[in-house]
Amino acid sequence: MMWKRLFDLTAAIAALVILAPVFLIILVMVWILLGFPLIFKQTRPGLKGSPFVLYKFRTMTQERGEDGKLIPDGLRLTKFGKFLRATSLDELPELFNVLKGDMSIVGPRPLLLRYLDRYSTVQARRHEVRPGITGLAQVNGRNAINWERKFELDVWYVDHRSFVLDLKIILLTVWCAMTMKGINSPGEATNSEFHRARN
């Protein structure tokens, strides 16, 4: 959809210009509180499952246990990191992913590569569009809803996406970020592991 790519580019450029001071402040805070690297990079599946490198502000320490392995996420997530996640400010570097064409402003969230072979045929349809910085699932419960519901919302978006729907989701995203609702899965530091679709 040509309108969606044009909208993504316009919105991403405008957001980067307007939010430049916020970017600078967060970069300095991450440097002071967490050190380098300032940006978290991870390969995620994008359109049609093709991998791309996703960018986020770093929110965790690199603390390791005696075995040399990273300690659990919940222990590495700092108070500042929790704030960035709660307000979705850690997602701001994904605007560069939008400029590159890896992502869209609105779409199903890019999850982990290891999930690709765990989706049902219907759930896999979430990859028929570019992943988004925010999406329908993020404004309807975020991490507080279960995986099945998230994927239902993702696929519904694929079938009903429109300019008006994208604007509505963006406005609801701002509200959700301000109210900090649905940040974590119950009993988890952020989100639970998706294992496999139910038959």
Side-chain angles (χ1 to χ4, degrees):
M1 292 183 175
M2 186 62 68
W3 68 263
K4 190 166 177 63
R5 184 59 185 150
L6 181 60
F7 174 77
D8 286 340
L9 287 173
T10 303
I13 292 171
L16 285 169
V17 171
I18 294 170
L19 298 174
V22 178
F23 266 82
L24 181 59
I25 291 171
I26 294 176
L27 283 171
V28 171
M29 291 299 295
V30 173
W31 174 52
I32 293 173
L33 298 174
L34 295 172
F36 292 100
L38 304 179
I39 301 296
F40 169 78
K41 299 178 182 180
Q42 188 176 57
T43 302
R44 300 283 181 95
L47 181 64
K48 297 181 180 179
S50 299
F52 72 96
V53 177
L54 174 136
Y55 309 124
K56 287 187 177 186
F57 285 122
R58 186 173 153 213
T59 59
M60 295 184 182
T61 69
Q62 294 181 309
E63 188 176 353
R64 297 177 181 272
E66 294 181 358
D67 58 0
K69 296 181 179 180
L70 290 171
I71 63 176
D73 290 357
L75 298 177
R76 294 190 296 120
L77 185 60
T78 64
K79 289 183 178 180
F80 179 62
K82 289 179 180 178
F83 168 76
L84 290 181
R85 291 190 178 197
T87 56
S88 296
L89 289 172
D90 64 316
E91 312 281 357
L92 290 181
E94 291 170 27
L95 290 167
F96 290 103
N97 287 120
V98 174
L99 291 181
K100 290 173 60 181
D102 298 325
M103 295 178 65
S104 182
I105 297 294
V106 179
R109 283 293 299 162
L111 301 176
L112 302 177
L113 282 173
R114 64 175 179 268
Y115 290 176
L116 284 176
D117 63 356
R118 303 179 188 181
Y119 298 129
S120 68
T121 302
V122 173
Q123 291 171 346
R125 294 193 58 226
R126 67 193 309 277
H127 292 292
E128 291 179 9
V129 297
R130 286 186 179 91
I133 294 178
T134 186
L136 193 60
Q138 281 60 56
V139 297
N140 282 278
R142 202 172 173 182
N143 291 331
I145 58 176
N146 62 37
W147 285 111
E148 286 72 21
R149 180 56 179 159
K150 287 180 186 178
F151 297 146
E152 286 176 4
L153 292 167
D154 288 343
V155 175
W156 191 93
Y157 174 80
V158 170
D159 291 332
H160 298 85
R161 62 192 186 277
S162 68
F163 179 71
V164 173
L165 179 59
D166 277 14
L167 286 179
K168 181 179 179 181
I169 290 172
I170 290 170
L171 291 174
L172 287 172
T173 297
V174 174
W175 171 253
C176 290
M178 291 174 63
T179 56
M180 302 184 188
K181 292 182 178 180
I183 300 166
N184 304 329
S185 295
E188 302 286 342
T190 51
N191 204 0
S192 61
E193 176 87 3
F194 171 62
H195 294 287
R196 188 169 293 277
R198 296 175 182 174
N199 296 322

